[in-house]
Amino acid sequence: MTMNRFWALAEGPLPAWPQEDTFVLKEGEIPTPGPGQAMTRTIYVSLDPYQWYYKQQRIEPVDAPCHARTVSQVVRSRMDGFAPGDFVFNTNGWAEYGLMGKDVWRPNYMVPRKLDESSRISHAVGVLGMLGLTAYAGMDLLASPKAGDTVVVSAASGGVGQIAGQLAKQRGARVVGIAGRDTKCRFVTDELGFDACVSHLSPTLPADLAAACPAGIDVYFENVGGKIFEAVLPLFNAAARMTICGLIAHYGEEAGRDSRAMLMKLGEPVFSSRGVRVKNLSVGDFAASHHEEMLAYVGPLVAAGKIKYREDIRQGLEVIPAAFAQMLRGDNFGKMLVQLSLDPTLGQV
Ligand code: NDP
């Protein structure tokens, strides 16, 4: 055990959406922790749409493993508070091993933390981590659904969408999901308990959505944009609330970075005439202030089975680029993860 395999970006211009040759598998020494650092083995890699945005904007360091949030186990530690064997949330990226701690690059709010084993450790990059916080902040804190409201959530079977919709159900709202394939729509209603779900693959999406929302829309949780937003727009009620969480349909576009501004421009006549309140969500703004609050609220709901959470777990470092591309085009079913090593908390030894 001396070598570390990882995926890095290949040289050359980036395509609109990831292709087979966009990433290159590399091998290097397993890093040695310096003072204030720990070296960890990756168990789960989280694949998220924002990682493509990071690559397009060249936010992560070049020649390093592609950035990702991970669940890992400490192998060697010179970092206070972390000992070999500890399970941690960190950012090893698309790599078998990585360092955390002093001088290791990470987005500033993705602070390494020790995990307890009272819930599944994979949930630390999902429902009990950034995705749970995204859903909680975007739904409960920014949109405040009330009993009787009609709430619409796009990408409803995905990592964020499934939680956001169930949180609105907890507040007594009538919740309508928008998802792709029929199997996803059935999951959203039959398993997650949404009141209805319409497919954005249907040629009659605007009419289908209008039929599913006979009293109009009071809250819209936007994950996608494009034609889905156009179908939602005419249905907004007076004083409706909209959270712009993500615009995945636009991430491959040249102008993807300005997609929130484009959407605001398109919606402006309706927003101002009906007094729709639109809030942009950036989960990092809530990480320090609301993570514990989210855990205290969402954790017991998950433990009691009142919030269900589906993961799509693929196996092995080799599959990461393909799994990432599949997630971006909707071929995931639940929160997309790749497992790189055994999860001892599940009895895998
Ligand atoms: P998901 O697990 O929801 O996976 C993405 C899903 O998006 C796909 O499964 C697919 O579902 C749907 N999708 C992809 N392309 C399209 C398209 N062109 N039209 C319609 N649907 C499409 O991902 P996440 O839960 O991780 O992320 C959801 C959104 O939340 C993203 O936009 C992401 O960027 C955003 N986000 C924002 C954060 C913030 O701080 N603001 C933090 C975290 C996430 P289907 O097959 O049902 O169409």
Side-chain angles (χ1 to χ4, degrees):
M1 185 201 83
T2 56
M3 298 311 279
N4 180 26
R5 294 183 310 151
F6 62 91
W7 287 99
L9 259 188
E11 283 177 19
L14 276 185
W17 296 101
Q19 309 295 317
E20 265 181 34
D21 58 358
T22 306
F23 305 100
V24 52
L25 188 59
K26 294 191 170 179
E27 209 171 73
E29 297 269 311
I30 293 179
T32 304
Q37 296 181 334
M39 187 273 281
T40 69
R41 179 178 53 245
T42 310
I43 301 176
Y44 296 105
V45 176
S46 175
L47 297 182
D48 302 275
Y50 79 86
Q51 290 163 13
W52 188 235
Y53 177 80
Y54 267 35
K55 285 164 187 42
Q56 289 171 316
Q57 302 305 317
R58 305 278 171 189
I59 287 173
E60 56 198 33
V62 285
D63 286 340
C66 293
H67 158 78
R69 298 172 302 116
T70 48
V71 172
S72 313
Q73 188 167 26
V74 177
V75 180
R76 295 178 58 196
S77 180
R78 300 178 67 187
M79 189 174 171
D80 285 348
F82 294 89
D86 285 348
F87 297 102
V88 293
F89 162 85
N90 64 352
T91 50
N92 276 357
W94 296 10
E96 292 174 318
Y97 295 89
L99 294 177
M100 63 180 193
K102 192 166 180 288
D103 299 333
V104 178
W105 182 86
R106 60 170 167 78
N108 61 4
Y109 62 93
M110 295 186 191
V111 182
R113 66 176 189 277
K114 213 152 92 173
L115 305 177
D116 67 40
E117 294 165 45
S118 58
S119 55
R120 290 191 58 155
I121 55 171
S122 58
H123 286 181
V125 290
V127 64
L128 300 181
M130 189 183 88
L131 299 196
L133 184 60
T134 303
Y136 176 68
M139 185 60 78
D140 283 70
L141 302 181
L142 298 185
S144 309
K146 304 184 301 295
D149 279 349
T150 296
V151 173
V152 173
V153 179
S154 54
S157 72
V160 173
Q162 55 180 315
I163 313 166
Q166 291 180 90
L167 288 175
K169 284 299 298 175
Q170 287 295 319
R171 303 295 182 194
R174 179 170 181 279
V175 181
V176 177
I178 302 174
R181 295 193 308 267
D182 284 350
T183 44
K184 289 188 178 182
C185 278
R186 277 200 301 279
F187 165 73
V188 164
T189 51
D190 300 357
E191 300 290 326
L192 303 182
F194 288 28
D195 298 278
C197 186
V198 298
S199 170
H200 64 80
L201 303 175
S202 160
T204 56
L205 169 66
D208 298 348
L209 188 61
C213 303
I217 295 174
D218 302 296
V219 169
Y220 178 46
F221 192 103
E222 174 65 288
N223 282 318
V224 175
K227 68 180 184 184
I228 295 182
F229 174 67
E230 288 171 31
V232 166
L233 193 56
L235 302 176
F236 274 124
N237 289 328
R241 287 88 70 202
M242 169 166 163
T243 295
I244 305 178
C245 173
L247 295 169
I248 193 169
H250 302 277
Y251 291 170
E253 294 170 0
E254 188 69 23
R257 66 190 308 182
D258 295 326
S259 51
R260 290 186 186 216
M262 280 161 28
L263 184 137
M264 288 302 287
K265 200 168 164 203
L266 183 64
E268 183 47 33
V270 170
F271 296 155
S272 40
S273 65
R274 298 187 202 169
V276 179
R277 195 192 70 201
V278 184
K279 296 260 174 93
N280 261 308
L281 171 63
S282 177
V283 68
D285 296 344
F286 294 87
S289 55
H290 289 82
H291 179 77
E292 293 304 321
E293 180 182 302
M294 179 280 294
L295 280 184
Y297 177 52
V298 177
L301 291 171
V302 174
K306 291 181 179 166
I307 286 191
K308 301 204 172 74
Y309 186 64
R310 182 180 178 121
E311 297 172 318
D312 184 338
I313 303 181
R314 312 287 169 93
Q315 299 294 325
L317 184 80
E318 292 77 7
V319 310
I320 289 181
F324 184 59
Q326 286 167 8
M327 183 265 305
L328 286 172
R329 62 171 183 257
D331 287 339
N332 60 317
F333 192 171
K335 198 276 166 281
M336 181 70 104
L337 300 165
V338 178
Q339 184 171 8
L340 302 196
S341 60
L342 299 176
D343 178 349
T345 68
L346 296 180
Q348 299 173 347
V349 283

